[in-house]
């Protein structure tokens, strides 16, 4: 059997759950007998069945009375170690033990302390052969949001902005002036469906009056996060509509009014990026896109609190404006998106 082939198939399946399973990891499962796939499944939605029971169910749906004997001959592939604890659902390792699978092949061990080797131990104690570490790096990168939250106690942080060909980021008078093209905007809306939250500062909320929704791409809206120390954003602005949950970080009050959540923080002029990152961790927000403005982006850059930066560079230039943030990271990808150049930078130093 080609273990890497089946683990890659697990990742393909797991990808179907993006944006819907947080704060859980994205997981796919493939069940194989004699080099033939007899069942597949993935974790579709947080709180619902994990990948493994969905794959086992798929075997029973397809093979009926023969399913039990087939499972006893089967190898199950899963990109992350089967859970060993009771959470929203029963332990997946117990399911494999119940059906007496022959072997389980795993991409990553689960870094969560409630699992971390315990699933593998359960399987081995039941006489099931276990092999792990298949495409380990690829699987970790795939679930980088989950690994970051568990290992660093903060969300996976994506910085995003557009800049002109000569490096300008915004107008000097603060008024909105669009930089990137229509395709870049649509791609940005796709990203919003994939991440838990999106964050802006007060000035962006006032001057641009953004909606921060995913209206140009099918999928969920992210949680909208706004830094507004003294609650100066007008109540009539789009962020106060009912299209998505909105969290306002401020120094005035803690309150919940409909879908608007006010969270009071002390001394927001000190270590703001660090405070927000930890607060989001406590709220089980696993990933966040930070769209700025420049002050907010630079605070996360200065604090080395970022994992990925997604930058659109337009073909046009401005005579003047505010300079875009300076990014020091590993250039992972550089492609053309319509009339814009798109670059992804990875932070290897945090």
């Amino acid at each position: 059997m080609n273990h890497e082939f089946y683990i890659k198939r697990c990742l393909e399946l797991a990808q179907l759950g993006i944006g819907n399973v947080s704060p859980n990891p994205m997981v796919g499962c493939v069940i194989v007998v004699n080099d033939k796939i007899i069942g597949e499944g993935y974790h579709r939605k947080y709180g619902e069945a994990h990948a493994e029971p969905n794959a086992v169910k798929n075997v029973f749906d397809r093979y009926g009375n023969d399913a039990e004997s087939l499972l006893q001959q089967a190898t199950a592939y899963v990109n992350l170690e089967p859970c060993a604890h009771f959470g929203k659902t029963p332990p997946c390792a117990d399911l494999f033990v119940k059906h007496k699978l022959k072997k389980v092949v795993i991409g990553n061990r689960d870094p969560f302390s409630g699992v971390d080797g315990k699933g593998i131990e359960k399987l081995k104690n039941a006489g099931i052969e276990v092999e792990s570490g298949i495409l380990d790096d690829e699987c970790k990168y795939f679930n980088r949001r989950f690994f970051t939250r568990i290992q660093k106690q903060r969300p996976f942080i994506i910085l995003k902005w557009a800049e002109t060909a000569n490096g300008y980021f915004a107008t000097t008078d603060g008024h909105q002036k669009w930089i990137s093209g229509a395709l870049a905007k649509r791609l940005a809306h796709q990203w919003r469906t994939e991440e838990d939250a999106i964050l802006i500062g007060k000035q962006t909320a006032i001057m641009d009056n953004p909606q921060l929704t995913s209206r140009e791409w099918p999928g969920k809206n992210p949680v909208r996060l706004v830094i507004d120390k003294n609650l100066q954003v007008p109540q009539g602005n789009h962020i106060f509509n009912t299209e998505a949950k909105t969290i306002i970080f401020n120094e005035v009050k803690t309150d919940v009014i409909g879908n608007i959540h006010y969270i009071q923080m002390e001394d927001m002029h000190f270590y703001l990026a660090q405070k927000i990152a930890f607060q989001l961790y406590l709220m089980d927000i696993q990933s966040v896109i930070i769209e700025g403005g420049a002050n907010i982006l630079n605070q996360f850059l200065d604090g080395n609190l970022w994992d990925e930066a997604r930058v659109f560079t337009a073909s046009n230039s401005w005579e003047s404006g505010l300079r875009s943030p300076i990014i020091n990271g590993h250039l992972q990808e550089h492609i053309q998106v319509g009339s814009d150049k798109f670059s992804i930078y990875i932070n290897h130093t945090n």
Side-chain angles (χ1 to χ4, degrees):
M1 290 187 182
N2 185 335
H3 291 339
E4 292 188 359
F5 173 83
Y6 292 121
I7 291 294
K8 284 182 178 179
R9 177 58 184 160
C10 290
L11 295 179
E12 289 176 357
L13 292 165
Q15 179 71 24
L16 298 173
I18 191 167
N20 296 313
V21 302
S22 175
N24 283 351
M26 297 179 287
V27 181
C29 178
V30 177
I31 300 177
V32 178
V33 173
N34 295 327
D35 220 14
K36 177 186 176 183
I37 294 175
I38 63 167
E40 295 184 330
Y42 67 96
H43 186 25
R44 295 172 179 270
K45 188 176 182 181
Y46 177 70
E48 296 183 359
H50 288 184
E52 296 92 332
N54 283 335
V56 169
K57 180 180 182 299
N58 186 228
V59 175
F60 277 93
D61 288 345
R62 293 172 68 180
Y63 294 96
N65 294 333
D66 295 329
E68 201 64 61
S69 61
L70 283 169
L71 286 170
Q72 292 177 20
Q73 306 169 51
T75 297
Y77 291 85
V78 62
N79 58 291
L80 190 73
E81 178 181 1
C83 60
H85 65 297
F86 282 89
K88 295 278 186 183
T89 59
C92 294
D94 288 358
L95 182 69
F96 286 160
V97 171
K98 173 187 173 183
H99 291 293
K100 302 177 183 178
L101 269 73
K102 185 177 179 182
K103 183 173 181 176
V104 177
V105 179
I106 297 166
N108 295 140
R109 276 177 61 140
D110 192 322
F112 176 58
S113 59
V115 185
D116 197 12
K118 296 181 179 70
I120 292 173
E121 185 180 5
K122 269 192 175 186
L123 296 170
K124 287 183 175 179
N125 287 343
I128 297 173
E129 183 184 351
V130 179
E131 191 169 341
S132 62
I134 308 301
L135 295 179
D136 190 69
D137 289 342
E138 188 172 331
C139 290
K140 279 179 183 171
Y141 180 74
F142 176 80
N143 266 318
R144 56 197 181 278
R145 299 163 181 83
F146 175 72
F147 274 82
T148 298
R149 186 177 74 87
I150 296 298
Q151 294 176 336
K152 298 182 180 180
Q153 288 79 57
R154 66 166 177 80
F156 186 82
I157 297 171
I158 300 166
L159 308 181
K160 180 256 174 183
W161 71 85
E163 60 186 35
T164 64
N166 56 342
Y168 289 117
F169 169 84
T171 59
T172 51
D173 61 7
H175 283 87
Q176 186 180 32
K177 188 176 180 182
W178 202 259
I179 297 175
S180 54
L183 276 178
K185 182 179 181 181
R186 195 152 187 259
L187 182 57
H189 282 221
Q190 179 189 341
W191 296 337
R192 292 176 183 181
T193 69
E194 297 172 349
E195 311 304 337
D196 288 355
I198 183 167
L199 181 144
I200 59 170
K202 175 195 71 178
Q203 284 301 115
T204 301
I206 292 174
M207 302 307 297
D208 293 357
N209 191 16
Q211 298 182 58
L212 302 184
T213 60
S214 310
R215 58 198 178 278
E216 294 199 13
W217 194 267
K220 67 168 183 62
N221 290 323
V223 175
R224 300 178 292 198
L225 310 172
V226 182
I227 300 169
D228 187 8
K229 180 179 175 180
N230 298 311
L231 299 182
Q232 294 174 294
V233 179
Q235 290 286 311
N237 280 29
H238 292 313
I239 59 163
F240 291 103
N241 65 29
T242 58
E243 292 187 26
K245 178 179 177 180
T246 299
I247 297 171
I248 313 288
F249 295 110
N250 69 93
E251 286 190 355
V252 179
K253 65 178 180 179
T254 294
D255 198 3
V256 178
I257 303 171
N259 64 310
I260 312 301
H261 295 237
Y262 295 89
I263 295 182
Q264 187 175 11
M265 305 178 83
E266 294 182 354
D267 300 323
M268 291 179 71
H269 51 292
F270 291 121
Y271 302 108
L272 180 61
Q274 290 82 351
K275 289 175 180 176
I276 287 176
F278 186 62
Q279 182 65 46
L280 296 179
Y281 167 73
L282 294 177
M283 296 165 65
D284 274 344
I285 288 179
Q286 188 162 254
S287 62
V288 58
I289 301 171
I290 298 176
E291 287 207 355
N295 176 42
I296 301 301
L297 286 164
N298 280 319
Q299 287 196 54
F300 279 86
L301 283 166
D302 292 344
N304 200 31
L305 271 175
W306 67 280
D307 299 286
E308 201 170 288
R310 301 176 181 179
V311 183
F312 291 104
T313 304
S315 56
N316 62 309
S317 297
W318 290 357
E319 290 185 6
S320 63
L322 297 178
R323 285 288 177 184
S324 62
I326 302 298
I327 191 81
N328 289 311
H330 171 72
L331 178 61
Q332 184 194 47
E333 192 171 5
H334 191 68
I335 60 173
Q336 195 74 25
V337 177
S339 59
D340 304 308
K341 291 179 181 177
F342 171 55
S343 305
I344 296 181
Y345 297 89
I346 304 296
N347 186 1
H348 290 312
T349 65
N350 59 14

